[in-house]
Amino acid sequence: MRNEYPLYLNGAWTPQTDGCVREDMEPATGKPLFTVHRAGPADVETALSTAAAAFPGWAGTLADVRERVLLRAADIMESRAEEFLELLVREGGKAQSIARGEFAGSVNLFRVAAGECRRHTTEVYPAGKPGQMTMAVRHPLGVILGILPFNYPLILSVKKLAFALAAGNSFILKPSPHTPAVCLLLGEVLHEAGLPAGALNVVPVADESLSAVLAQDKRVRMVSFTGGGNAGRKIAAAAAQDFKRTAMELGGKNPLLVLRDYDIDEAVKTAGLGAFSNQGQLCMATSRILVEEPLYEAFCGKLRDYALSLKVGDPTDPDVFIGPLIDERHCAFVRSQVQDAVSKGAKLLCGGTHEGPFFRPTVLCNVDESMRIFYEESFAPVTSIIPVKNAEEALARCNDNVFGLSAAVLTHNLDRAMELGMKIEAGMVHINDLTYLSSTTAPCGGWKESGVGREGGRFSMDDYTELKWLTFQSKHPW
């Protein structure tokens, strides 16, 4: 790790001019790790102007050149694996196993995006009249702004910028204030890989209100945002002033339906991994578990035992699975959810307490719709078990939520699995697997208040391009 991380502007590490320099704190220890430069208004203007200037040249670059840049970026990342992994663990508070998975997925995304450079082509359609050629042509949008959360800073950065660059856009990356360094490092990697100066700028900001300044700027043609619903609404409103395109992956209150025919021990493992990975700080975490009554009592006890078996502590310890929440202040909100549920009749099977930022894995049972935690996202290692009489009741309670990001169904009844999979109101539904599956090529995104747009493979490429209908008439039929 460096001692200091300046901004990454126009292909170089650049000191802030009118922002500030702050210490970046390690969530596990509360001690400073290094200093990070934060952009002010003049720095934001530099990012905008250089990204706009770089766009025409990068958009005109041949597909095989863009492909080589992205493939080299993947190779350079792999050669610097230890540096990235240390930042993910120490800056982000991730367990080492989770950090390794995020890093490997990020490298893979660069390679998948490289493949899209050649695959994303013009399509020719049947002529509408004699002598006509008619086609659909895709053009890059221009400058794209990516606004990132703290929980998966590396893979979400790459998922946005790699496909945007593959399509010929320039990109401005605005990291979370909690995890800027791992994002800044991507600027250096891509410049070394041959990306022209200005095609990627990375700007942690001194004041989060500058996110709206970026989103409102006329030079930005699309905003891709991952984060909470309230922040997403503000960013979408700012972008709407110029009818900019937006892609929004927002919150979730993701249900796991456990039907009576499924193996209970496998169900517990699936639920536990889904609920407690990355301290529950992921939008696709398993936060509601709807269990058919024949399995309910045994499932509650086994999931409690699973939660108690997980080691909590400093993620630099390779045996730790539950690290710190990114901000200790969030513990008070989570504790209030748990206390509200218990006061209304829920049973606390384990957890519900914290030492500093380390919130213990928490399992509640007998949760119902009268409790805040049935509907509110926790973003912590907390899950609720809800008894249901049958699959029909599970479906109804599953869909009783403003969110519709991800869901999973555990059953060996193929007909029932297909029926539920089609009726669940979510953008992603997985049969006999985790709620938080990720993919480099599948359409990842949510329904309802969980967002708009889709990320992954050709779906990202579609989002990051404008479609034009183009015809050529060789002779007139009249």
Side-chain angles (χ1 to χ4, degrees), residues 254-259 270 284 286 288-290 398 406-411 420-421 424 426 428-437:
N254 308 293
L256 174 69
L257 283 62
V258 182
L259 303 193
T270 303
M284 293 179 281
T286 303
R288 293 183 294 155
I289 308 170
L290 300 124
C398 160
S406 184
V409 181
L410 304 184
T411 179
L420 292 170
I424 288 173
M428 299 172 282
V429 180
H430 309 297
I431 309 301
N432 299 337
D433 214 326
L434 301 166
T435 58
Y436 73 84
L437 291 188

Side-chain angles (χ1 to χ4, degrees), residues 129-133 471-477:
K129 56 184 179 179
Q132 183 191 64
M133 177 177 286
T471 69
F472 292 88
Q473 187 66 45
S474 64
K475 61 181 180 179
H476 291 289

Side-chain angles (χ1 to χ4, degrees), residues 67-80:
E67 178 188 61
R68 285 198 297 271
V69 168
L70 295 171
L71 289 174
R72 281 199 294 266
D75 292 341
I76 293 165
M77 272 191 75
E78 282 190 321
S79 73
R80 301 176 68 172

